[in-house]
Amino acid sequence: MNILGIETSCDETAAAVVKDGRTVLSNVVYTQIPLHVPYGGVVPEIASRAHIEKISEVVRTALAEAAKAPDPDAGRIDAVAVTYGPGLSPALVVGLNAAKGLAKSLGVPLFGINHIEAHLHTPFLAEPDAAAESPLDPLKCMPALGLAISGGHTTWVEMPRYGVYEVVGQTLDDAAGEAFDKAAKLLGLGYPGGPKVDRIAREYFESCGASRPDLIPFPKGRPREGVTALAGLPAECCVSFSGLKTALLRYVQQNGGAEALAAAGEIPRVVASYQEAIVGAVVDRTRTALRRGSFKAMIVGGGVSLNSRLRTALDETCRREKIQLLMARPKFCGDNGAMIAALAYYRRNKAGAEAMRLDVAPSLDFEP
Ligand code: KG4
Ligand code: ZN
């Protein structure tokens, strides 16, 4: 079964064709980042307009590339899947409307897909040329602990069975990606901040060689027990990055501002310390969540899972906890249509007439 997946929840216009929920026949991502750079963040109206301008071309290219695959049925589309939330409303609506039109004109069913759930499916994506790679069966990796870590989410979910989600921890304020992006903006590093912070911190650690890095002790984002924002979740499985952000702001102010820090060559040490606080918090809460349950695997998805320090730290933690770590290859970590198409094959929960009636759901969360 070949599914065309469409994704327009934020600043990437993406479409892909995936066979049987795993084999990626094509995966086209048009990134709007250069359009948003002058504003230091995603501007919803600009995102929406760019999606409108690009969606037809991106879908056409995805279909054409899939049709070139050696599979004799590669040119056939059996269903269309689309992100309907969470995300920016004016951006989501472009993909949803395009997908409805395509499903109708092709005479195939439509599936509505939850973007964060799709991120947690990315470790199961395989490419046709990756013959050596034995594809993982998501159904056989349960029960699992999932971590969705992106620009909008930092959420830990227990997955007792595939497609069943029980939130066990989350951020009480900013998502990890947002925390990276805001720090980068404050330090004058530009947008998007995550990749820049990652590179600068990596270079800082490399420059330390064998000597111990001289890190600033930023707070590690542990919420206090009993605060109402926990909404009944255990504090030991949640993070809060607002204190960290304030600590960074105070540090910058006390040291004469970002320009003074840059002139003193201090930015790499500040960035590495800040990243270390986020990674430390995420790894600590992950370890706690793992120890609270009994899992076969740890599944990590979302743009922040590209962070090289986080990848290494999660790998070390899962080795120590003797649990299999399933993390997408970097090309599938950011927003893409392949994860939408792949999840649709397994989930099929918002389908057909119900999907055709779907409206965008900007605040969609994990559905139990
Ligand atoms: O999943 P994604 O592409 O979009 C959302 O669903 O939000 O995630 C985007 C987020 C941004 O905040 C971006 O700064 C962050 O992922 N990000 C990173 C890295 N690459 C992207 N954060 C840390 N390190 C990275 N290498
Ligand atoms: Zn995403």
Side-chain angles (χ1 to χ4, degrees), residues 7 9-10 12 115-116 119 149-152 302-303 333-336 339:
E7 153 64 41
S9 67
C10 191
E12 257 99 33
H115 179 90
I116 356 167
H119 271 306
I149 185 159
S150 67
C333 287
D335 293 347
N336 63 80
M339 65 182 193

Side-chain angles (χ1 to χ4, degrees), residues 9-12 115 119 149-153 176-181 191-199 275 301-308 333-335 339:
S9 67
C10 191
D11 57 353
E12 257 99 33
H115 179 90
H119 271 306
I149 185 159
S150 67
H153 288 82
E178 214 174 342
F180 279 124
D181 294 339
Y191 167 84
K196 295 198 163 106
V197 167
D198 189 357
R199 180 180 48 78
Q275 176 181 276
V304 180
S305 66
L306 275 169
N307 185 273
S308 54
C333 287
D335 293 347
M339 65 182 193

